[in-house]
Amino acid sequence: MTNHAMGDKLIPAVQIRNHIETCVRNGVITGDLANNWKGKEKETSEADALMKKALGGDHDAMFLLGLFHFDGLNGFGKDQKIAFDWYERASNAGNVKALALSGFSYMNGSGVKENVTYGIVLVTMAAERGSDLACLSLGLWLAGGDFDLVEDHSKAIHFLSLGLSERCPHRHARSLENQKSRHS
């Protein structure tokens, strides 16, 4: 030992990482540290599988990647821009839930430049295609005249009823948290 400061640059130590991994797999290292290592390894493996599906064109995987990046879940960094990009890719591939979340992203400026009007258009498109979340949101906005929409109680009731019924094939208003935790 030299008693000199180590410096502020870290470099990858692949051999050490591989050695630790081997020790954990062979039971040389046990306990909480080993369990944490195995958990991270499993999380990385699942994240890689999800990414592979998404890159292969699976719009449901794209949607989940958007959710995970939005909240920084399952080993993915919290990044609203990346989340928005995945929502857009998923909605362009036909995912109605992602279309709704793209609309909300535009409305809130989450990961994209704010454009409330265009966001409402996307949410409306998602409602027309059967997103319960979009129907419920649109119904509430029409009931209150939010976002400069005309206050229209009959249309509000229509969208709220539709969003609460089983007629919406894309149900995610109550399941966003479930989808996130199911893949945690």
Side-chain angles (χ1 to χ4, degrees):
M1 295 209 229
T2 65
N3 286 333
H4 293 285
M6 288 180 19
D8 58 0
K9 294 189 183 204
L10 296 176
I11 58 170
V14 178
Q15 295 95 344
I16 293 174
R17 184 190 191 294
N18 290 341
H19 183 68
I20 293 171
E21 189 173 318
T22 301
C23 288
V24 168
R25 281 193 186 143
N26 293 335
V28 175
I29 299 175
T30 59
D32 289 342
L33 290 175
N35 292 336
N36 289 342
W37 185 275
K38 289 176 185 175
K40 284 290 183 190
E41 202 171 62
K42 180 180 179 210
E43 192 174 88
T44 300
S45 172
E46 289 173 353
D48 289 345
L50 187 62
M51 182 66 74
K52 185 176 178 180
K53 283 180 164 181
L55 294 174
D58 182 329
H59 64 75
D60 290 326
M62 293 176 197
F63 173 70
L64 285 174
L65 283 174
L67 289 178
F68 295 159
H69 278 290
F70 190 84
D71 288 326
L73 299 173
N74 297 347
F76 293 97
K78 186 173 183 171
D79 189 322
Q80 292 182 348
K81 170 72 174 115
I82 293 173
F84 172 77
D85 290 343
W86 280 113
Y87 293 153
E88 282 288 282
R89 288 176 77 172
S91 67
N92 290 337
N95 189 296
V96 175
K97 296 173 185 179
L99 179 62
L101 293 185
S102 289
F104 294 124
S105 294
Y106 272 108
M107 293 178 73
N108 297 315
S110 299
V112 66
K113 184 177 180 202
E114 184 178 300
N115 186 330
V116 174
T117 304
Y118 187 60
I120 291 171
V121 168
L122 295 180
V123 172
T124 302
M125 289 171 60
E128 290 171 346
R129 293 178 186 173
S131 161
D132 66 337
L133 179 61
C135 285
L136 293 169
S137 298
L138 194 54
L140 290 172
W141 300 336
L142 287 166
D146 298 340
F147 303 109
D148 292 327
L149 294 174
V150 173
E151 191 172 316
D152 186 332
H153 293 278
S154 68
K155 286 189 177 59
I157 290 169
H158 165 76
F159 280 108
L160 290 168
S161 298
L162 185 60
L164 293 170
S165 76
E166 296 300 318
R167 294 180 299 172
C168 281
H170 305 286
R171 310 213 44 89
H172 59 128
R174 288 176 280 256
S175 67
L176 284 177
E177 290 304 316
N178 292 340
Q179 289 171 341
K180 291 175 189 174
S181 64
R182 213 177 323 156
H183 291 80
S184 320

